[in-house]
Amino acid sequence: MRDTDSEYGIVLHRYNTVLDELFHGQDVRIVTADWSDASEPPAPSAQHALWNPGARHRKPWRSGLVDDLLRAAADYAAVGVMIASSSFDRIHHPYDSGADVLLPTIGERDTIKHSHADWLSEHPSGY
């Protein structure tokens, strides 16, 4: 959980910056996952409706589109969140300590990684 509005601002800025680079002018698919031991899937929680109002899984990307969902991912309140291209060849998976970005080529991956190198941890692998 982030401690201050300033920290949320930094996290949301970073998420949206990368999402803008990945999906500017495109439709995105918003994927959330849940699990249960029951034989039938559970109904989405009331909280889920606040994170993704209207729950349409495909929307035109714009910065701030899923800020409530991104904030929930940053707080570990929503897990299994993915924002993906229509063809699922670009995926942004936010979580409580960062995000994974899956891209179709090594070159695209390296470009994103190098353009935001100052956001990576000092761990030798960039974790």
Side-chain angles (χ1 to χ4, degrees):
M1 178 179 263
R2 309 296 137 215
D3 295 327
T4 67
D5 285 339
S6 174
E7 288 176 327
Y8 279 117
I10 292 167
V11 169
L12 291 175
H13 168 74
R14 289 179 180 184
Y15 283 155
N16 278 296
T17 296
V18 173
L19 287 162
D20 285 344
E21 291 172 14
L22 296 176
F23 304 120
H24 178 78
Q26 299 177 36
D27 281 351
V28 294
R29 294 185 186 267
I30 301 163
V31 179
T32 57
D34 203 350
W35 57 89
S36 168
D37 290 334
S39 60
E40 295 294 319
S45 70
Q47 193 66 34
H48 188 275
L50 298 174
W51 297 333
N52 189 12
R56 286 188 12 237
H57 293 289
R58 186 174 179 176
K59 298 180 180 183
W61 172 253
R62 63 173 172 71
S63 188
L65 176 70
V66 290
D67 277 1
D68 290 336
L69 186 58
L70 293 171
R71 190 172 173 145
D75 282 341
Y76 200 66
V79 296
V81 172
M82 290 183 282
I83 296 91
S85 63
S86 295
S87 61
F88 285 93
D89 66 338
R90 297 168 174 271
I91 299 172
H92 183 274
H93 170 57
Y95 48 85
D96 64 328
S97 59
D100 291 330
V101 177
L102 291 85
L103 296 168
T105 69
I106 292 170
E108 289 178 80
R109 179 204 63 197
D110 290 348
T111 298
I112 290 283
K113 180 179 178 181
H114 294 303
S115 66
H116 303 293
D118 57 322
W119 295 350
L120 297 174
S121 75
E122 293 180 11
H123 187 279
S125 297
Y127 300 133

Short mmCIF file of all heavy atoms in Angstrom, two decimals, residues 11-79:
data_model
loop_
_atom_site.label_atom_id
_atom_site.label_comp_id
_atom_site.label_asym_id
_atom_site.label_seq_id
_atom_site.Cartn_x
_atom_site.Cartn_y
_atom_site.Cartn_z
N VAL A 11 3.43 6.38 -8.81
CA VAL A 11 3.09 5.05 -9.34
C VAL A 11 2.16 5.18 -10.55
O VAL A 11 2.40 4.58 -11.60
CB VAL A 11 2.45 4.17 -8.25
CG1 VAL A 11 1.85 2.91 -8.82
CG2 VAL A 11 3.48 3.82 -7.18
N LEU A 12 1.10 5.96 -10.42
CA LEU A 12 0.16 6.11 -11.53
C LEU A 12 0.82 6.80 -12.73
O LEU A 12 0.55 6.43 -13.88
CB LEU A 12 -1.08 6.88 -11.08
CG LEU A 12 -1.99 6.13 -10.10
CD1 LEU A 12 -3.11 7.04 -9.62
CD2 LEU A 12 -2.54 4.86 -10.72
N HIS A 13 1.68 7.76 -12.48
CA HIS A 13 2.41 8.41 -13.58
C HIS A 13 3.25 7.39 -14.34
O HIS A 13 3.24 7.35 -15.58
CB HIS A 13 3.30 9.54 -13.04
CG HIS A 13 4.27 10.04 -14.04
ND1 HIS A 13 3.90 10.85 -15.10
CD2 HIS A 13 5.60 9.82 -14.19
CE1 HIS A 13 4.96 11.11 -15.84
NE2 HIS A 13 6.01 10.50 -15.31
N ARG A 14 3.97 6.55 -13.61
CA ARG A 14 4.82 5.55 -14.27
C ARG A 14 3.99 4.54 -15.04
O ARG A 14 4.31 4.20 -16.19
CB ARG A 14 5.72 4.87 -13.24
CG ARG A 14 6.79 5.81 -12.73
CD ARG A 14 7.67 5.16 -11.71
NE ARG A 14 8.71 6.09 -11.25
CZ ARG A 14 9.67 5.76 -10.41
NH1 ARG A 14 9.76 4.52 -9.95
NH2 ARG A 14 10.56 6.65 -10.05
N TYR A 15 2.94 4.02 -14.40
CA TYR A 15 2.07 3.07 -15.11
C TYR A 15 1.53 3.70 -16.39
O TYR A 15 1.61 3.12 -17.47
CB TYR A 15 0.89 2.66 -14.24
CG TYR A 15 1.15 1.66 -13.15
CD1 TYR A 15 0.31 1.62 -12.02
CD2 TYR A 15 2.18 0.73 -13.19
CE1 TYR A 15 0.50 0.71 -11.00
CE2 TYR A 15 2.37 -0.19 -12.18
CZ TYR A 15 1.53 -0.20 -11.09
OH TYR A 15 1.71 -1.11 -10.08
N ASN A 16 0.95 4.90 -16.28
CA ASN A 16 0.32 5.54 -17.43
C ASN A 16 1.33 5.94 -18.50
O ASN A 16 1.02 5.88 -19.69
CB ASN A 16 -0.52 6.74 -16.99
CG ASN A 16 -1.89 6.31 -16.50
OD1 ASN A 16 -2.69 5.78 -17.25
ND2 ASN A 16 -2.14 6.54 -15.23
N THR A 17 2.53 6.31 -18.11
CA THR A 17 3.57 6.64 -19.09
C THR A 17 3.87 5.44 -19.98
O THR A 17 3.89 5.54 -21.21
CB THR A 17 4.84 7.13 -18.39
OG1 THR A 17 4.56 8.35 -17.69
CG2 THR A 17 5.98 7.36 -19.38
N VAL A 18 4.09 4.30 -19.36
CA VAL A 18 4.39 3.08 -20.13
C VAL A 18 3.16 2.65 -20.93
O VAL A 18 3.27 2.29 -22.11
CB VAL A 18 4.90 1.95 -19.21
CG1 VAL A 18 5.03 0.64 -19.97
CG2 VAL A 18 6.23 2.35 -18.58
N LEU A 19 1.99 2.69 -20.31
CA LEU A 19 0.77 2.32 -21.03
C LEU A 19 0.54 3.22 -22.24
O LEU A 19 0.15 2.74 -23.30
CB LEU A 19 -0.43 2.35 -20.08
CG LEU A 19 -0.46 1.20 -19.07
CD1 LEU A 19 -1.40 1.52 -17.91
CD2 LEU A 19 -0.87 -0.10 -19.75
N ASP A 20 0.80 4.51 -22.10
CA ASP A 20 0.68 5.43 -23.25
C ASP A 20 1.65 5.03 -24.36
O ASP A 20 1.29 5.05 -25.54
CB ASP A 20 0.98 6.87 -22.82
CG ASP A 20 -0.14 7.52 -22.03
OD1 ASP A 20 -1.28 6.99 -22.04
OD2 ASP A 20 0.12 8.55 -21.39
N GLU A 21 2.87 4.67 -23.99
CA GLU A 21 3.85 4.26 -24.99
C GLU A 21 3.43 2.96 -25.69
O GLU A 21 3.65 2.80 -26.89
CB GLU A 21 5.22 4.07 -24.33
CG GLU A 21 5.83 5.37 -23.88
CD GLU A 21 7.10 5.19 -23.06
OE1 GLU A 21 7.67 4.08 -23.04
OE2 GLU A 21 7.53 6.17 -22.43
N LEU A 22 2.82 2.06 -24.96
CA LEU A 22 2.42 0.78 -25.54
C LEU A 22 1.15 0.86 -26.37
O LEU A 22 1.03 0.17 -27.39
CB LEU A 22 2.19 -0.25 -24.42
CG LEU A 22 3.38 -0.64 -23.57
CD1 LEU A 22 2.94 -1.58 -22.45
CD2 LEU A 22 4.46 -1.28 -24.41
N PHE A 23 0.19 1.71 -25.95
CA PHE A 23 -1.16 1.60 -26.50
C PHE A 23 -1.74 2.89 -27.08
O PHE A 23 -2.93 2.94 -27.39
CB PHE A 23 -2.11 1.05 -25.44
CG PHE A 23 -1.68 -0.26 -24.87
CD1 PHE A 23 -1.41 -0.40 -23.52
CD2 PHE A 23 -1.52 -1.37 -25.69
CE1 PHE A 23 -1.01 -1.61 -22.99
CE2 PHE A 23 -1.12 -2.59 -25.17
CZ PHE A 23 -0.86 -2.71 -23.82
N HIS A 24 -0.95 3.93 -27.25
CA HIS A 24 -1.46 5.19 -27.78
C HIS A 24 -2.25 4.95 -29.07
O HIS A 24 -1.76 4.33 -30.01
CB HIS A 24 -0.31 6.16 -28.04
CG HIS A 24 -0.77 7.46 -28.63
ND1 HIS A 24 -1.36 8.44 -27.87
CD2 HIS A 24 -0.75 7.91 -29.90
CE1 HIS A 24 -1.69 9.44 -28.64
NE2 HIS A 24 -1.32 9.16 -29.89
N GLY A 25 -3.50 5.42 -29.10
CA GLY A 25 -4.34 5.32 -30.30
C GLY A 25 -4.90 3.94 -30.58
O GLY A 25 -5.43 3.70 -31.66
N GLN A 26 -4.80 3.01 -29.63
CA GLN A 26 -5.27 1.64 -29.84
C GLN A 26 -6.37 1.28 -28.85
O GLN A 26 -6.50 1.90 -27.80
CB GLN A 26 -4.13 0.65 -29.63
CG GLN A 26 -2.96 0.81 -30.55
CD GLN A 26 -1.87 -0.19 -30.20
OE1 GLN A 26 -2.13 -1.32 -29.82
NE2 GLN A 26 -0.63 0.25 -30.31
N ASP A 27 -7.12 0.24 -29.18
CA ASP A 27 -8.02 -0.37 -28.21
C ASP A 27 -7.19 -1.28 -27.32
O ASP A 27 -6.21 -1.87 -27.77
CB ASP A 27 -9.09 -1.22 -28.90
CG ASP A 27 -10.22 -0.39 -29.48
OD1 ASP A 27 -10.27 0.83 -29.22
OD2 ASP A 27 -11.05 -0.97 -30.20
N VAL A 28 -7.59 -1.36 -26.06
CA VAL A 28 -6.94 -2.27 -25.13
C VAL A 28 -7.98 -3.22 -24.55
O VAL A 28 -9.17 -2.92 -24.51
CB VAL A 28 -6.22 -1.53 -23.98
CG1 VAL A 28 -5.06 -0.71 -24.51
CG2 VAL A 28 -7.17 -0.67 -23.17
N ARG A 29 -7.50 -4.34 -24.13
CA ARG A 29 -8.32 -5.30 -23.39
C ARG A 29 -7.92 -5.20 -21.92
O ARG A 29 -6.73 -5.19 -21.61
CB ARG A 29 -8.12 -6.71 -23.90
CG ARG A 29 -8.60 -6.88 -25.32
CD ARG A 29 -8.50 -8.34 -25.75
NE ARG A 29 -8.84 -8.48 -27.14
CZ ARG A 29 -10.05 -8.77 -27.60
NH1 ARG A 29 -11.05 -8.93 -26.75
NH2 ARG A 29 -10.28 -8.91 -28.88
N ILE A 30 -8.90 -5.14 -21.06
CA ILE A 30 -8.67 -5.05 -19.63
C ILE A 30 -9.05 -6.40 -19.04
O ILE A 30 -10.20 -6.83 -19.13
CB ILE A 30 -9.50 -3.92 -19.01
CG1 ILE A 30 -9.10 -2.60 -19.67
CG2 ILE A 30 -9.30 -3.86 -17.50
CD1 ILE A 30 -10.09 -1.49 -19.47
N VAL A 31 -8.06 -7.07 -18.47
CA VAL A 31 -8.25 -8.42 -17.98
C VAL A 31 -8.04 -8.42 -16.47
O VAL A 31 -7.04 -7.89 -15.98
CB VAL A 31 -7.25 -9.40 -18.63
CG1 VAL A 31 -7.43 -10.81 -18.10
CG2 VAL A 31 -7.38 -9.36 -20.15
N THR A 32 -8.98 -9.00 -15.75
CA THR A 32 -8.82 -9.22 -14.32
C THR A 32 -9.11 -10.68 -14.05
O THR A 32 -9.89 -11.31 -14.77
CB THR A 32 -9.76 -8.32 -13.49
OG1 THR A 32 -11.11 -8.56 -13.87
CG2 THR A 32 -9.43 -6.85 -13.68
N ALA A 33 -8.49 -11.19 -13.03
CA ALA A 33 -8.67 -12.61 -12.71
C ALA A 33 -9.08 -12.76 -11.25
O ALA A 33 -8.74 -11.93 -10.41
CB ALA A 33 -7.38 -13.37 -12.95
N ASP A 34 -9.80 -13.80 -10.97
CA ASP A 34 -10.19 -14.13 -9.61
C ASP A 34 -10.20 -15.65 -9.52
O ASP A 34 -10.16 -16.35 -10.53
CB ASP A 34 -11.57 -13.58 -9.30
CG ASP A 34 -11.81 -13.38 -7.81
OD1 ASP A 34 -10.98 -13.86 -7.00
OD2 ASP A 34 -12.81 -12.76 -7.45
N TRP A 35 -10.22 -16.17 -8.34
CA TRP A 35 -10.25 -17.61 -8.18
C TRP A 35 -11.11 -17.97 -6.98
O TRP A 35 -11.40 -17.15 -6.12
CB TRP A 35 -8.85 -18.20 -8.02
CG TRP A 35 -8.09 -17.62 -6.88
CD1 TRP A 35 -8.06 -18.04 -5.58
CD2 TRP A 35 -7.26 -16.47 -6.92
NE1 TRP A 35 -7.27 -17.23 -4.83
CE2 TRP A 35 -6.76 -16.25 -5.62
CE3 TRP A 35 -6.88 -15.59 -7.93
CZ2 TRP A 35 -5.90 -15.20 -5.31
CZ3 TRP A 35 -6.03 -14.56 -7.61
CH2 TRP A 35 -5.55 -14.38 -6.31
N SER A 36 -11.53 -19.23 -6.97
CA SER A 36 -12.40 -19.72 -5.91
C SER A 36 -12.29 -21.23 -5.86
O SER A 36 -11.97 -21.88 -6.86
CB SER A 36 -13.84 -19.29 -6.22
OG SER A 36 -14.75 -19.95 -5.39
N ASP A 37 -12.60 -21.80 -4.72
CA ASP A 37 -12.68 -23.25 -4.59
C ASP A 37 -14.04 -23.79 -4.99
O ASP A 37 -14.24 -25.00 -5.09
CB ASP A 37 -12.38 -23.68 -3.15
CG ASP A 37 -10.93 -23.46 -2.78
OD1 ASP A 37 -10.08 -23.47 -3.68
OD2 ASP A 37 -10.65 -23.27 -1.58
N ALA A 38 -15.00 -22.91 -5.24
CA ALA A 38 -16.35 -23.31 -5.60
C ALA A 38 -16.39 -23.80 -7.05
O ALA A 38 -15.53 -23.45 -7.87
CB ALA A 38 -17.32 -22.14 -5.43
N SER A 39 -17.39 -24.60 -7.37
CA SER A 39 -17.51 -25.13 -8.72
C SER A 39 -18.00 -24.07 -9.71
O SER A 39 -17.80 -24.21 -10.91
CB SER A 39 -18.45 -26.33 -8.74
OG SER A 39 -19.73 -25.95 -8.27
N GLU A 40 -18.63 -23.02 -9.23
CA GLU A 40 -19.09 -21.92 -10.07
C GLU A 40 -18.24 -20.69 -9.80
O GLU A 40 -17.83 -20.45 -8.67
CB GLU A 40 -20.56 -21.59 -9.77
CG GLU A 40 -21.53 -22.71 -10.14
CD GLU A 40 -21.57 -22.96 -11.64
OE1 GLU A 40 -21.55 -21.99 -12.41
OE2 GLU A 40 -21.60 -24.13 -12.04
N PRO A 41 -17.97 -19.91 -10.83
CA PRO A 41 -17.16 -18.70 -10.59
C PRO A 41 -17.92 -17.72 -9.70
O PRO A 41 -19.14 -17.60 -9.80
CB PRO A 41 -16.95 -18.13 -12.00
CG PRO A 41 -18.00 -18.75 -12.85
CD PRO A 41 -18.36 -20.06 -12.22
N PRO A 42 -17.19 -17.02 -8.85
CA PRO A 42 -17.84 -16.04 -7.98
C PRO A 42 -18.27 -14.81 -8.77
O PRO A 42 -17.68 -14.49 -9.81
CB PRO A 42 -16.76 -15.68 -6.96
CG PRO A 42 -15.48 -15.92 -7.69
CD PRO A 42 -15.75 -17.08 -8.62
N ALA A 43 -19.29 -14.15 -8.29
CA ALA A 43 -19.70 -12.88 -8.90
C ALA A 43 -18.64 -11.83 -8.59
O ALA A 43 -17.99 -11.89 -7.54
CB ALA A 43 -21.05 -12.45 -8.33
N PRO A 44 -18.41 -10.91 -9.49
CA PRO A 44 -17.45 -9.85 -9.19
C PRO A 44 -17.85 -9.09 -7.93
O PRO A 44 -19.03 -8.86 -7.69
CB PRO A 44 -17.51 -8.94 -10.42
CG PRO A 44 -18.09 -9.78 -11.51
CD PRO A 44 -18.98 -10.76 -10.83
N SER A 45 -16.88 -8.72 -7.15
CA SER A 45 -17.16 -7.99 -5.92
C SER A 45 -17.66 -6.59 -6.24
O SER A 45 -17.45 -6.06 -7.34
CB SER A 45 -15.88 -7.89 -5.08
OG SER A 45 -14.96 -7.02 -5.71
N ALA A 46 -18.31 -5.98 -5.26
CA ALA A 46 -18.76 -4.60 -5.43
C ALA A 46 -17.57 -3.69 -5.67
O ALA A 46 -17.65 -2.72 -6.43
CB ALA A 46 -19.55 -4.16 -4.20
N GLN A 47 -16.44 -4.02 -5.05
CA GLN A 47 -15.23 -3.22 -5.23
C GLN A 47 -14.75 -3.27 -6.67
O GLN A 47 -14.29 -2.28 -7.22
CB GLN A 47 -14.14 -3.73 -4.29
CG GLN A 47 -12.96 -2.81 -4.16
CD GLN A 47 -13.33 -1.49 -3.49
OE1 GLN A 47 -14.17 -1.45 -2.61
NE2 GLN A 47 -12.69 -0.43 -3.91
N HIS A 48 -14.89 -4.42 -7.31
CA HIS A 48 -14.47 -4.57 -8.71
C HIS A 48 -15.21 -3.59 -9.60
O HIS A 48 -14.61 -3.03 -10.53
CB HIS A 48 -14.70 -6.01 -9.17
CG HIS A 48 -14.12 -6.29 -10.52
ND1 HIS A 48 -14.80 -6.02 -11.68
CD2 HIS A 48 -12.92 -6.79 -10.89
CE1 HIS A 48 -14.05 -6.35 -12.71
NE2 HIS A 48 -12.91 -6.81 -12.26
N ALA A 49 -16.48 -3.38 -9.35
CA ALA A 49 -17.26 -2.44 -10.16
C ALA A 49 -16.71 -1.02 -10.03
O ALA A 49 -16.81 -0.23 -10.97
CB ALA A 49 -18.72 -2.48 -9.74
N LEU A 50 -16.11 -0.69 -8.90
CA LEU A 50 -15.51 0.63 -8.73
C LEU A 50 -14.19 0.73 -9.48
O LEU A 50 -13.82 1.80 -9.96
CB LEU A 50 -15.28 0.92 -7.25
CG LEU A 50 -16.53 0.97 -6.37
CD1 LEU A 50 -16.13 1.12 -4.91
CD2 LEU A 50 -17.44 2.11 -6.80
N TRP A 51 -13.44 -0.37 -9.56
CA TRP A 51 -12.14 -0.38 -10.22
C TRP A 51 -12.26 -0.32 -11.74
O TRP A 51 -11.40 0.21 -12.41
CB TRP A 51 -11.34 -1.61 -9.84
CG TRP A 51 -10.99 -1.73 -8.40
CD1 TRP A 51 -10.83 -0.71 -7.50
CD2 TRP A 51 -10.75 -2.92 -7.68
NE1 TRP A 51 -10.52 -1.21 -6.27
CE2 TRP A 51 -10.46 -2.57 -6.34
CE3 TRP A 51 -10.77 -4.27 -8.03
CZ2 TRP A 51 -10.18 -3.51 -5.36
CZ3 TRP A 51 -10.48 -5.20 -7.05
CH2 TRP A 51 -10.19 -4.82 -5.73
N ASN A 52 -13.31 -0.94 -12.29
CA ASN A 52 -13.49 -0.99 -13.73
C ASN A 52 -14.97 -0.76 -14.05
O ASN A 52 -15.68 -1.69 -14.41
CB ASN A 52 -13.00 -2.33 -14.27
CG ASN A 52 -12.97 -2.38 -15.79
OD1 ASN A 52 -13.08 -1.37 -16.45
ND2 ASN A 52 -12.82 -3.58 -16.33
N PRO A 53 -15.44 0.48 -13.89
CA PRO A 53 -16.86 0.76 -14.10
C PRO A 53 -17.31 0.34 -15.49
O PRO A 53 -16.63 0.59 -16.48
CB PRO A 53 -16.96 2.27 -13.93
CG PRO A 53 -15.73 2.68 -13.21
CD PRO A 53 -14.68 1.67 -13.56
N GLY A 54 -18.46 -0.29 -15.56
CA GLY A 54 -18.99 -0.75 -16.84
C GLY A 54 -18.43 -2.08 -17.28
O GLY A 54 -19.00 -2.75 -18.11
N ALA A 55 -17.29 -2.46 -16.74
CA ALA A 55 -16.64 -3.76 -16.97
C ALA A 55 -16.65 -4.20 -18.43
O ALA A 55 -16.84 -5.36 -18.73
CB ALA A 55 -17.25 -4.83 -16.08
N ARG A 56 -16.46 -3.26 -19.34
CA ARG A 56 -16.24 -3.64 -20.74
C ARG A 56 -14.78 -4.02 -20.85
O ARG A 56 -13.90 -3.31 -20.40
CB ARG A 56 -16.56 -2.47 -21.66
CG ARG A 56 -18.04 -2.22 -21.80
CD ARG A 56 -18.39 -1.18 -22.88
NE ARG A 56 -17.30 -0.82 -23.74
CZ ARG A 56 -16.85 0.42 -23.90
NH1 ARG A 56 -17.39 1.42 -23.24
NH2 ARG A 56 -15.87 0.68 -24.73
N HIS A 57 -14.52 -5.13 -21.49
CA HIS A 57 -13.15 -5.63 -21.54
C HIS A 57 -12.33 -5.02 -22.68
O HIS A 57 -11.13 -5.22 -22.74
CB HIS A 57 -13.14 -7.15 -21.63
CG HIS A 57 -13.66 -7.78 -20.38
ND1 HIS A 57 -12.98 -7.77 -19.21
CD2 HIS A 57 -14.83 -8.40 -20.13
CE1 HIS A 57 -13.67 -8.37 -18.27
NE2 HIS A 57 -14.80 -8.76 -18.80
N ARG A 58 -12.98 -4.30 -23.56
CA ARG A 58 -12.22 -3.68 -24.65
C ARG A 58 -12.61 -2.21 -24.74
O ARG A 58 -13.77 -1.88 -24.91
CB ARG A 58 -12.51 -4.38 -25.96
CG ARG A 58 -11.67 -3.89 -27.11
CD ARG A 58 -11.89 -4.72 -28.33
NE ARG A 58 -11.09 -4.23 -29.43
CZ ARG A 58 -11.01 -4.79 -30.59
NH1 ARG A 58 -11.69 -5.89 -30.82
NH2 ARG A 58 -10.26 -4.28 -31.54
N LYS A 59 -11.61 -1.34 -24.64
CA LYS A 59 -11.86 0.09 -24.63
C LYS A 59 -10.73 0.80 -25.37
O LYS A 59 -9.61 0.32 -25.40
CB LYS A 59 -11.87 0.62 -23.19
CG LYS A 59 -12.94 0.03 -22.31
CD LYS A 59 -12.86 0.61 -20.91
CE LYS A 59 -13.95 0.03 -20.03
NZ LYS A 59 -13.94 0.62 -18.69
N PRO A 60 -11.01 1.98 -25.93
CA PRO A 60 -9.92 2.78 -26.51
C PRO A 60 -9.02 3.27 -25.37
O PRO A 60 -9.52 3.76 -24.35
CB PRO A 60 -10.63 3.95 -27.20
CG PRO A 60 -12.09 3.64 -27.16
CD PRO A 60 -12.32 2.59 -26.14
N TRP A 61 -7.71 3.14 -25.56
CA TRP A 61 -6.79 3.56 -24.50
C TRP A 61 -6.74 5.08 -24.40
O TRP A 61 -6.73 5.79 -25.40
CB TRP A 61 -5.37 3.04 -24.73
CG TRP A 61 -4.45 3.67 -23.73
CD1 TRP A 61 -3.52 4.64 -23.96
CD2 TRP A 61 -4.46 3.43 -22.33
NE1 TRP A 61 -2.93 5.00 -22.77
CE2 TRP A 61 -3.50 4.29 -21.75
CE3 TRP A 61 -5.19 2.59 -21.49
CZ2 TRP A 61 -3.25 4.31 -20.39
CZ3 TRP A 61 -4.93 2.61 -20.13
CH2 TRP A 61 -3.97 3.46 -19.59
N ARG A 62 -6.70 5.56 -23.17
CA ARG A 62 -6.38 6.94 -22.86
C ARG A 62 -5.76 6.94 -21.48
O ARG A 62 -6.09 6.11 -20.63
CB ARG A 62 -7.60 7.85 -22.92
CG ARG A 62 -8.67 7.52 -21.90
CD ARG A 62 -9.80 8.53 -21.87
NE ARG A 62 -10.87 8.09 -21.02
CZ ARG A 62 -10.83 8.03 -19.69
NH1 ARG A 62 -9.75 8.40 -19.05
NH2 ARG A 62 -11.86 7.59 -18.99
N SER A 63 -4.84 7.84 -21.27
CA SER A 63 -4.19 7.94 -19.97
C SER A 63 -5.23 8.17 -18.89
O SER A 63 -6.16 8.96 -19.07
CB SER A 63 -3.18 9.09 -19.99
OG SER A 63 -2.42 9.09 -18.80
N GLY A 64 -5.11 7.46 -17.79
CA GLY A 64 -6.05 7.58 -16.68
C GLY A 64 -7.26 6.66 -16.78
O GLY A 64 -8.07 6.60 -15.86
N LEU A 65 -7.39 5.93 -17.88
CA LEU A 65 -8.56 5.07 -18.12
C LEU A 65 -8.83 4.10 -16.98
O LEU A 65 -9.97 3.89 -16.59
CB LEU A 65 -8.38 4.29 -19.43
CG LEU A 65 -9.46 3.27 -19.78
CD1 LEU A 65 -10.76 3.99 -20.14
CD2 LEU A 65 -9.00 2.39 -20.94
N VAL A 66 -7.78 3.50 -16.45
CA VAL A 66 -7.96 2.46 -15.43
C VAL A 66 -7.20 2.81 -14.14
O VAL A 66 -6.72 1.91 -13.45
CB VAL A 66 -7.53 1.07 -15.98
CG1 VAL A 66 -8.51 0.57 -17.02
CG2 VAL A 66 -6.12 1.10 -16.52
N ASP A 67 -7.12 4.09 -13.83
CA ASP A 67 -6.37 4.50 -12.64
C ASP A 67 -6.85 3.82 -11.36
O ASP A 67 -6.04 3.43 -10.52
CB ASP A 67 -6.39 6.02 -12.46
CG ASP A 67 -5.34 6.72 -13.29
OD1 ASP A 67 -4.60 6.04 -14.04
OD2 ASP A 67 -5.26 7.97 -13.18
N ASP A 68 -8.16 3.67 -11.20
CA ASP A 68 -8.65 3.01 -9.98
C ASP A 68 -8.19 1.56 -9.92
O ASP A 68 -7.80 1.06 -8.87
CB ASP A 68 -10.18 3.09 -9.89
CG ASP A 68 -10.68 4.50 -9.62
OD1 ASP A 68 -9.91 5.31 -9.06
OD2 ASP A 68 -11.84 4.78 -9.97
N LEU A 69 -8.19 0.88 -11.07
CA LEU A 69 -7.73 -0.50 -11.13
C LEU A 69 -6.22 -0.56 -10.91
O LEU A 69 -5.72 -1.44 -10.18
CB LEU A 69 -8.10 -1.11 -12.47
CG LEU A 69 -7.82 -2.60 -12.66
CD1 LEU A 69 -8.54 -3.43 -11.61
CD2 LEU A 69 -8.24 -3.03 -14.06
N LEU A 70 -5.47 0.37 -11.49
CA LEU A 70 -4.02 0.40 -11.28
C LEU A 70 -3.69 0.67 -9.81
O LEU A 70 -2.77 0.08 -9.25
CB LEU A 70 -3.39 1.48 -12.16
CG LEU A 70 -3.45 1.22 -13.67
CD1 LEU A 70 -2.99 2.45 -14.43
CD2 LEU A 70 -2.63 -0.01 -14.04
N ARG A 71 -4.44 1.54 -9.19
CA ARG A 71 -4.22 1.83 -7.77
C ARG A 71 -4.52 0.59 -6.92
O ARG A 71 -3.78 0.28 -5.99
CB ARG A 71 -5.10 3.01 -7.35
CG ARG A 71 -4.78 3.55 -5.99
CD ARG A 71 -5.54 4.84 -5.73
NE ARG A 71 -5.34 5.23 -4.35
CZ ARG A 71 -5.25 6.47 -3.95
NH1 ARG A 71 -5.36 7.46 -4.80
NH2 ARG A 71 -5.06 6.75 -2.68
N ALA A 72 -5.57 -0.15 -7.27
CA ALA A 72 -5.89 -1.38 -6.55
C ALA A 72 -4.78 -2.42 -6.74
O ALA A 72 -4.42 -3.13 -5.80
CB ALA A 72 -7.24 -1.94 -7.03
N ALA A 73 -4.20 -2.49 -7.94
CA ALA A 73 -3.08 -3.41 -8.18
C ALA A 73 -1.88 -2.99 -7.35
O ALA A 73 -1.18 -3.83 -6.77
CB ALA A 73 -2.74 -3.45 -9.66
N ALA A 74 -1.62 -1.69 -7.26
CA ALA A 74 -0.49 -1.19 -6.48
C ALA A 74 -0.66 -1.49 -4.99
O ALA A 74 0.31 -1.63 -4.27
CB ALA A 74 -0.32 0.32 -6.70
N ASP A 75 -1.90 -1.59 -4.55
CA ASP A 75 -2.20 -1.90 -3.14
C ASP A 75 -2.37 -3.40 -2.89
O ASP A 75 -2.71 -3.80 -1.79
CB ASP A 75 -3.49 -1.20 -2.71
CG ASP A 75 -3.28 0.26 -2.41
OD1 ASP A 75 -2.12 0.66 -2.18
OD2 ASP A 75 -4.27 1.01 -2.42
N TYR A 76 -2.17 -4.22 -3.91
CA TYR A 76 -2.36 -5.66 -3.84
C TYR A 76 -3.81 -6.02 -3.49
O TYR A 76 -4.11 -7.06 -2.95
CB TYR A 76 -1.39 -6.29 -2.83
CG TYR A 76 -1.18 -7.77 -3.04
CD1 TYR A 76 -0.57 -8.24 -4.18
CD2 TYR A 76 -1.62 -8.70 -2.11
CE1 TYR A 76 -0.39 -9.60 -4.39
CE2 TYR A 76 -1.45 -10.06 -2.30
CZ TYR A 76 -0.84 -10.50 -3.44
OH TYR A 76 -0.67 -11.84 -3.65
N ALA A 77 -4.73 -5.11 -3.83
CA ALA A 77 -6.15 -5.37 -3.63
C ALA A 77 -6.75 -6.08 -4.84
O ALA A 77 -7.73 -6.80 -4.72
CB ALA A 77 -6.90 -4.07 -3.36
N ALA A 78 -6.16 -5.85 -6.02
CA ALA A 78 -6.57 -6.53 -7.25
C ALA A 78 -5.32 -7.21 -7.81
O ALA A 78 -4.30 -6.56 -8.03
CB ALA A 78 -7.12 -5.54 -8.26
N VAL A 79 -5.41 -8.51 -7.98
CA VAL A 79 -4.28 -9.25 -8.54
C VAL A 79 -4.70 -9.83 -9.89
O VAL A 79 -5.87 -9.93 -10.19
CB VAL A 79 -3.80 -10.37 -7.58
CG1 VAL A 79 -3.27 -9.77 -6.30
CG2 VAL A 79 -4.91 -11.35 -7.27
#
